[in-house]
């Protein structure tokens, strides 16, 4: 599942003017491209996720069925597989890696889709969390995400960043390759734990349904285990900056006007926030949908919070799959 293909971006200049020489985009595909290249779905990765982490929403009989669609899953710049702090040679290695915007992510993905596959129109773009932020930039169908990172979300991310960088081993991002700041990563995980799931999730001890025997077992086994599983700290901080500075209004031509950027969306749009998401609450997405012509807001019910979109809750997965299936049946698409 970890196998992937590599698309050479060449000298890739970011929105802020840095040039990553010899940059690349790691990706994988599911299904076959049809003769008229009309069955393409783009499904970007999320914060710290890799392409195989998206596979829970892909499969026979699902909306994202490889027998019907050609599904491209590009790995975000900064996630450790595509060009990232951890795999870039000096002078842009590690702590010197440049800031990457959501716009940069889509520029790279657009080059992949058009140059590698010759695709001119996409049937659907969808994604969870930061994948949803990229979907808004592509402008089609996100779930559990937002077109602009809210002030409250930025506060959460400041806590994540502070927990990681406070570890003395972090050393301003110049830690040794074989000595990661694991104390900082564990602290980051515990900050994240209070946001990823809702208050009700913890009250109802839903973590027991995932096989964890106590709250502490969940904090260590799920959360600490997640961030200690090969997730390079500089990569995490690069993706965090992208998330924290996400705003479709910063797309060239809109001058920071988020509402105008949302109003320019022509694709048929379905926004599916989770009912108790602490990152991207439904009221924030109601605001976004109110500015997208013809867009629909469909709230994922339940207590799983942000992780309603993470693939661990069968009921929420079914809700998301149904929404995507119904969206694909509507006219629209992205030129």
């Amino acid at each position: 599942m970890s196998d992937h293909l590599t698309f050479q971006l060449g000298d890739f200049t970011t929105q802020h003017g840095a040039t990553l020489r010899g940059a690349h985009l790691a990706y994988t595909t599911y299904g076959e491209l049809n003769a008229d290249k009309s069955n393409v779905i783009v499904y970007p990765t999320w914060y710290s996720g890799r392409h195989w982490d998206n596979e829970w929403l892909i499969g026979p009989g699902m909306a994202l069925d490889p027998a019907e669609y050609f599904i491209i899953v590009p790995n975000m710049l900064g996630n450790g597989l595509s060009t990232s702090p951890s795999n870039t040679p000096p002078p842009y290695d590690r702590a010197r890696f440049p800031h990457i915007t959501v716009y940069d992510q889509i520029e790279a993905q657009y080059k992949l889709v058009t140059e590698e596959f010759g695709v001119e129109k996409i049937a659907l773009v969808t994604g969870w969390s930061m994948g949803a932020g990229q979907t808004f930039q592509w402008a089609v169908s996100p779930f559990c995400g937002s077109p602009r990172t809210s002030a409250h979300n930025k506060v959460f991310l400041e806590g994540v960043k502070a927990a990681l960088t406070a570890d003395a081993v972090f050393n301003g991002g110049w830690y040794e390759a074989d000595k990661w700041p694991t104390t900082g990563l564990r602290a980051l995980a515990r900050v994240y734990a209070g946001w990823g799931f809702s208050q009700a999730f913890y009250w109802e001890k839903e973590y027991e349904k995932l096989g964890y025997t106590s709250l502490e077992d969940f904090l260590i086994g799920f959360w600490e285990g997640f961030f200690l599983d090969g997730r390079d700290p500089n990569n995490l901080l690069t993706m965090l900056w992208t998330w924290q500075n996400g705003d479709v209004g910063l797309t060239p031509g809109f001058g920071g006007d988020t509402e105008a950027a949302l109003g320019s969306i022509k694709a048929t749009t379905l926004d599916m926030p989770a009912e108790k998401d602490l990152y991207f609450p439904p009221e924030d997405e109601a605001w976004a949908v109110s500015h997208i012509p013809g867009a629909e807001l469909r709230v994922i019910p339940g207590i799983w919070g942000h992780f309603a979109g993470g693939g661990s809750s069968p009921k929420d997965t079914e809700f998301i799959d149904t929404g995507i299936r119904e969206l694909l049946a509507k006219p629209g698409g992205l030129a």
Side-chain angles (χ1 to χ4, degrees), residues 11 60 90 179 191 224 226 237 257 298 301 306 335:
D11 292 348
K179 190 178 180 182
V191 171
E224 292 186 15
F226 181 87
L237 290 173
D257 189 336
R298 190 180 301 185
H306 186 61

Side-chain angles (χ1 to χ4, degrees), residues 15 147-148 154 245-262 287:
Q15 196 174 11
R148 182 177 68 186
K154 290 179 181 179
N245 291 273
D247 185 348
V248 294
L250 299 177
T251 303
F254 290 103
D257 189 336
T258 308
E259 294 181 7
L262 292 171
W287 170 84

Side-chain angles (χ1 to χ4, degrees), residues 19-24 77-78 80 82-98 174 235:
T19 298
L20 290 165
R21 292 163 179 85
H24 69 275
L77 295 169
S82 293
T83 290
S84 305
S86 62
N87 60 25
T88 297
Y92 279 128
D93 61 320
R94 298 187 287 172
R96 292 292 289 167
F97 197 76
W174 299 104
N235 293 349

